[in-house]
Amino acid sequence: MNRVLVTGGAGFLGSHLCERLLDAGQDVLCVDNYFTGSKRNIAHLIDRPYFEAMRHDVTFPLYVEVDRIFNLACPASPVHYQFDPVQTTKTSVHGAINMLGLAKRVKARILQASTSEVYGDPEVHPQQEGYWGRVNPIGVRACYDEGKRCAETLFFDYHRQHKLDIKVVRIFNTYGPRMHPNDGRVVSNFIVQALKGEDITIYGDGQQTRSFCYVDDLVEAMLRMMDTEAGFTGPVNIGNPVESTMLELAEKVLAIVGGTSRLSFQPLPADDPRQRQPDIAVARERLDWEPRVSLEDGLRETVRYFRALLAEGHS
Ligand code: NAD
Ligand code: UDP
Ligand code: UDP
């Protein structure tokens, strides 16, 4: 049995990851400061004998004994990471330093949840791992994008300098149950708006694209990456290469939810990438992985989750 630390374990992806690790018989320590995560996300895990939750901010040192670390702590949606941008950069950078320092001391394998945002608003399409990206270093998204880029730099320098056993995955847009209902991300926004009968807010002309991966597929890829042979560091793109425009996404959500919502066109946020699609050739080859859940099926599960959440009185 491995002792596995999951930072950001009470968040959307982290809570699914903790659950899968427990199901696989691992001893899980979830560390979270509950900035965007919640105890609700992990309430169903609390009574499991090999699960432990600790309130802690990763920008401060952490002294625990573990074999493996999944470093997910970081707000992920623009609304949340721009709320306190300095703290966002600190979380990515100081958080990475502390978790790498911890991994170095206890000789743990450590995986970083990086992001497709390291590619910025890309000139290369689809994005391969070798692409260096196009990020505005002084824009409003930079606290997240540059924070994550610096975290990758730290991971590779600890690997080269201190021989740390690192893994880096670049996660593309992921959705599913336990997304934050108010985090402003497009899938949660559209579903909640459709369920409430409110207008669907399309930013810009709705022709920008994203590629949406269902959470179960994503977690499977993270687990496979953690189990790859020592020396294989990545970075590896993980995401679903099926690309949709925001207008197509709105249509799919409306077809599932039904109701009377209409489309409302709003201004496009600053630095909003025009298109994004992962090239997952490396994940296919090295992880023997590709997404299995279609957008329709994944959206249906997500709609079911939000319907129940709203019925419980969450707004
Ligand atoms: P989330 O906001 O639901 O989860 C992040 C978790 O980190 C939350 O529980 C939050 O409370 C915690 N956290 C934030 N700052 C912290 C700090 N200083 N100390 C301790 N905990 C802290 O977001 P998510 O979608 O689950 O994302 C998880 C990770 O995956 C993030 O690192 C994110 O950058 C990355 N990622 C997610 C996506 C996506 O589409 N969901 C895409 C790319 C990358
Ligand atoms: N650190 C930690 N837990 C540990 C070991 C280190 O949080 O078990 C933190 C500590 O705050 C340190 C950082 O990780 O500043 C980087 O550690 P490293 O050993 O690389 O550097 P140094 O201690 O020399 O600053
Ligand atoms: N978006 C939208 N309506 C919304 C929320 C987002 O049209 O209510 C757009 C947003 O401008 C972006 C895309 O959907 O082009 C994805 O946004 P999200 O914040 O989910 O992810 P990210 O931009 O970080 O990929």
Side-chain angles (χ1 to χ4, degrees):
M1 182 189 283
N2 281 312
R3 293 162 302 176
V4 186
L5 166 62
V6 179
T7 76
F12 161 48
L13 297 181
S15 62
H16 286 274
L17 178 62
C18 288
E19 194 169 336
R20 281 289 303 274
L21 288 164
L22 288 169
D23 290 347
Q26 310 286 317
D27 185 333
V28 177
L29 172 60
C30 162
V31 162
D32 206 295
N33 70 349
Y34 303 111
F35 172 45
T36 50
S38 74
K39 291 184 180 168
R40 187 182 193 283
N41 286 343
I42 51 170
H44 62 298
L45 304 178
I46 289 292
D47 287 337
R48 294 181 67 162
Y50 292 104
F51 182 74
E52 194 179 346
M54 178 194 278
R55 181 191 290 271
H56 176 79
D57 183 325
V58 295
T59 62
F60 297 102
L62 176 66
Y63 288 85
V64 290
E65 309 306 311
V66 291
D67 307 298
R68 290 182 164 192
I69 303 169
F70 286 90
N71 189 36
L72 275 67
C74 186
S77 76
V79 169
H80 285 142
Y81 69 66
Q82 289 169 23
F83 172 77
D84 184 348
V86 173
Q87 171 68 10
T88 299
T89 303
K90 283 185 186 169
T91 293
S92 273
V93 177
H94 293 181
I97 291 172
N98 287 328
M99 292 310 107
L100 287 161
L102 169 62
K104 183 178 139 208
R105 181 179 61 80
V106 300
K107 299 188 171 41
R109 175 173 284 197
I110 180 166
L111 179 146
Q112 168 69 354
S114 189
T115 169
S116 55
E117 293 279 332
V118 300
Y119 301 123
D121 191 1
E123 304 113 317
V124 170
H125 197 72
Q127 291 81 53
Q128 295 180 333
E129 289 85 351
Y131 176 52
W132 291 355
R134 185 167 73 120
V135 173
N136 173 2
I138 56 169
V140 291
R141 293 176 87 103
C143 59
Y144 183 72
D145 302 6
E146 299 288 15
K148 288 284 190 179
R149 286 170 68 96
C150 184
E152 285 199 12
T153 307
L154 285 161
F155 267 68
F156 279 85
D157 282 333
Y158 268 80
H159 172 65
R160 283 184 287 255
Q161 198 174 327
H162 297 302
K163 308 287 174 268
L164 244 67
D165 186 4
I166 64 153
K167 310 277 172 194
V168 175
V169 290
R170 293 184 178 151
I171 302 170
F172 283 64
N173 297 62
T174 302
Y175 71 99
R178 297 190 212 130
M179 288 183 92
H180 200 293
N182 302 321
D183 73 359
R185 279 190 265 191
V186 69
V187 174
S188 43
N189 267 14
F190 285 4
I191 291 178
V192 171
Q193 288 160 347
L195 286 170
K196 290 181 172 174
E198 295 170 355
D199 287 352
I200 305 286
T201 52
I202 307 275
Y203 300 162
D205 60 8
Q207 294 297 341
Q208 71 272 37
T209 68
R210 294 292 186 275
S211 308
F212 297 102
C213 186
Y214 189 63
V215 60
D216 290 357
D217 283 332
L218 200 285
V219 168
E220 176 65 29
M222 287 179 87
L223 292 169
R224 286 183 189 216
M225 181 66 180
M226 187 54 119
D227 282 339
T228 53
E229 72 277 10
F232 179 62
T233 58
V236 177
N237 288 340
I238 47 180
N240 191 324
V242 178
E243 193 179 357
S244 310
T245 66
M246 296 311 104
L247 281 175
E248 288 163 350
L249 178 70
E251 277 166 24
K252 286 207 165 77
V253 169
L254 285 172
I256 293 167
V257 176
T260 55
S261 294
R262 294 194 309 203
L263 303 186
S264 155
F265 288 85
Q266 315 265 336
L268 193 67
D271 295 335
D272 200 90
R274 188 75 207 143
Q275 52 182 13
R276 191 183 290 145
Q277 183 193 28
D279 182 323
I280 59 165
V282 176
R284 280 201 174 99
E285 192 195 321
R286 303 301 297 257
L287 311 181
D288 189 22
W289 171 88
E290 62 182 7
R292 300 191 174 283
V293 181
S294 70
L295 185 55
E296 284 76 9
D297 289 348
L299 285 175
R300 246 179 239 112
E301 282 304 310
T302 314
V303 166
R304 205 193 316 272
Y305 169 78
F306 279 114
R307 210 187 281 281
L309 195 72
L310 294 181
E312 280 174 30
H314 288 261
S315 53

